[in-house]
Amino acid sequence: MEKRDEGISGPLTVEMDEGQPCVKCKSQCPGYKPHAWRAICDHCKCMRKWHEIRLDGATNVRDRIGLKNKVEQNGVQDKRTAVEEGYSWVPPGLAADKIQSYFARIPSEKVPKSGSPGEKYREKQLIIQLPDQDFSMVFCKFLGKEYQQLYIDFNNERDKTAMDIAYVKSAVERTSECYGCGGTVIRGDLAVVNSKLGEENPFHPSCFVCSVCEELLVDLICCTLEGRIYCQRHYAEQIRPRCSGCDELIFGEYTKLMSKYWHPNHIYRLKCEESPSSQELVRENRAFFTRCYEEAYCNICHECGRTIGVHSKSLSYKDKHWHEECFVCNKCRIPLTERSFAWKNIQIYCEACYDAAFASRCEKCGQIFRAGTKMLTHGDKQWHKECVRCVACANLVGNESFVEVGNDIHCNSCYQQKFGSTCVECHQIVTTEGVVYGNKLWHNQCFCCTNCLVRLEVRRFALKDDKQYCVECFGNLFAERCSGCNEPVIGISGTRYTSFEGRNWHNDCFFCAVCKASLVEKNAFTDGTDVLCPGCTKSKIMM
């Protein structure tokens, strides 16, 4: 078993955290200093993820999860494409215009443009969603030898049954329901597809998020469990408890305290500089000093960044926590403890501020989309489902495909009636597949031989006086006759023939009348109606 030396980075990636500023404490923190074993900064006690943690150049997600050898060639090509387009990552296999279209469908602040906040967002999510210690024992400091096989079995089972690299399908074949939001994915639109759920369950690009943290799944890496998708971190936590101290998965004994899990020895490893007589004791299974307990185990307020003490009133939502007095609208600051609220970009808003800042509006009626409203999406436009009506017949389009002309929507039937092309034979509109030849259009069933009426859409044909004929009829009606066998001579699709002194022969019929030798591409002479080779001609003259 390979052992990781203290202070030496592991083989998968080098994370350069030390000295990075804290975005919560800012100038109060001199820079990230890793705690001896807890996943916090030893200076400010904030979690590691709140610092400007960053990766070196090895940010290929396949390398991070150990898939380098399996897809190395594709990974190199994807990285080259990303650099050429100015991104730190792009969906594999997409053309440049489709890459731009994909990124236009996700929040701008999460687009991994090189040198942008979106690139930092991606790097942070790589570390949060794909923790090194979940993929290699090299990074596990507290995994006992007796549990190593359980760790290996967990990884093998996850890789076999749950983990997947989703892909972006540039154009879906049919209109269907988004597996994430329940909205509509229109035929021909971009969609994210996870092979575990199948192509029949596509996602809008912005809807391909973890079921727990609701963050975009970094580089489309996901795990599937019981019909739901997760980032690897939160998938693992559905199977195994994670220690709130060291951030490793627990495969042996653990202690549960205030809805969190701990290695038994980690719940005590706290430094306390206060005298026991100066602090109140809090008991839950075991005794702790209040200040130590709050420092180690109490939640941090998402608004003010301070600890929520054991005697403070608090509220929780989506794995975030607030002091009661801090649970206010991020914009107008109105208290939300007794009001409805909305959640966007890891912040809470009152309904009015959320609607004004973020709610999409229907292209038809201009009204916002309330939570739970069914909508149709096409490109960058959205409609209430009941607003999508054909301008010609006024019928609801529903889940059927439609055509947008300017700002007008047409159902397929009305669009064909108004803009469709007509068949030159029957003069009816061609609504399905047809045959185009010489700037003219026919229904498949109308494109027939003028003489025998056999259908020609998959047959060879010839034109005569703007009329089409099958090869057999054309030969019988119009082609020259072979002077040898008197059958039609047709120079279509490889038929070979020879013309000589105003007459035509199939190549197989063009031979000497005396010796029967082939005369194709050779000198020949006529003797009445016969054709002779030079030798037989000379013999006949000398007779």
Side-chain angles (χ1 to χ4, degrees), residues 216-461:
L216 289 175
L217 290 160
V218 64
D219 293 12
L220 304 181
I221 295 293
C222 62
C223 290
T224 307
L225 180 66
E226 296 179 352
R228 302 182 72 187
I229 57 172
Y230 301 87
C231 65
Q232 195 287 145
R233 169 179 288 274
H234 290 115
Y235 163 80
E237 292 172 8
Q238 309 303 307
I239 311 298
R240 287 283 178 180
R242 185 182 299 275
C243 179
S244 296
C246 67
D247 204 39
E248 292 184 21
L249 295 175
I250 304 173
F251 290 87
E253 295 181 356
Y254 62 87
T255 298
K256 185 176 181 181
L257 186 65
M258 292 186 68
S259 300
K260 293 184 178 181
Y261 299 91
W262 311 81
H263 285 110
N265 57 326
H266 286 176
I267 205 166
Y268 294 108
R269 295 185 64 179
L270 299 172
K271 296 179 180 179
C272 178
E273 299 177 358
E274 299 290 334
S275 168
S277 61
S278 66
Q279 299 190 27
E280 178 184 359
L281 291 176
V282 177
R283 304 185 64 88
E284 184 170 344
N285 296 331
R286 293 179 175 88
F288 297 90
F289 299 127
T290 302
R291 184 171 176 178
C292 294
Y293 180 86
E294 290 179 345
E295 177 186 340
Y297 309 125
C298 285
N299 296 310
I300 302 299
C301 177
H302 184 63
E303 176 63 26
C304 69
R306 298 192 302 271
T307 299
I308 302 175
V310 293
H311 300 300
S312 299
K313 292 183 178 180
S314 64
L315 299 98
S316 299
Y317 181 72
K318 287 190 178 295
D319 214 19
K320 306 295 181 186
H321 309 274
W322 292 261
H323 293 105
E324 185 179 45
E325 62 272 17
C326 292
F327 196 68
V328 297
C329 173
N330 187 57
K331 189 171 184 180
C332 70
R333 315 307 293 175
I334 187 173
L336 298 176
T337 52
E338 301 294 333
R339 295 172 178 265
S340 297
F341 65 90
W343 175 260
K344 181 72 174 182
N345 297 336
I346 324 179
Q347 295 295 341
I348 53 174
Y349 298 86
C350 65
E351 287 186 325
C353 290
Y354 177 85
D355 289 345
F358 305 110
S360 301
R361 294 185 179 273
C362 176
E363 291 289 330
K364 180 68 175 177
C365 68
Q367 299 299 310
I368 64 171
F369 294 101
R370 298 288 181 184
T373 301
K374 291 287 186 179
M375 66 176 72
L376 290 176
T377 302
H378 179 64
D380 58 352
K381 296 181 179 180
Q382 296 174 319
W383 296 265
H384 290 107
K385 203 167 185 179
E386 61 272 16
C387 289
V388 184
R389 294 180 178 272
C390 174
V391 296
C393 65
N395 289 332
L396 281 172
V397 172
N399 288 330
E400 300 298 325
S401 57
F402 61 87
V403 181
E404 189 179 7
V405 181
N407 291 324
D408 293 334
I409 292 173
H410 298 77
C411 65
N412 279 337
S413 177
C414 291
Y415 176 81
Q416 293 294 343
Q417 292 294 330
K418 187 173 182 179
F419 301 104
S421 301
T422 57
C423 172
V424 298
E425 181 68 27
C426 69
H427 307 294
Q428 299 298 311
I429 293 174
V430 179
T431 59
T432 56
E433 294 181 354
V435 177
V436 177
Y437 187 82
N439 295 323
K440 295 181 180 180
L441 176 66
W442 290 263
H443 290 105
N444 283 352
Q445 64 271 22
C446 293
F447 191 61
C448 301
C449 174
T450 305
N451 185 55
C452 69
L453 301 181
V454 66
R455 289 173 62 167
L456 298 176
E457 71 267 25
V458 293
R459 290 172 173 262
R460 293 184 298 126
F461 64 91

Side-chain angles (χ1 to χ4, degrees), residues 143-160:
L143 181 68
K145 291 184 178 181
E146 67 272 27
Y147 302 120
Q148 290 181 356
Q149 187 59 49
L150 290 176
Y151 177 94
I152 293 171
D153 292 343
F154 167 80
N155 275 267
N156 289 340
E157 183 65 18
R158 176 200 61 207
D159 295 346
K160 178 181 178 181

Side-chain angles (χ1 to χ4, degrees), residues 59-66 89 122 126 130 218-219 221:
T59 56
N60 188 308
V61 70
R62 298 185 178 97
D63 297 348
R64 191 171 184 84
I65 64 177
W89 171 84
R122 172 181 175 259
L126 277 172
L130 305 172
V218 64
D219 293 12
I221 295 293

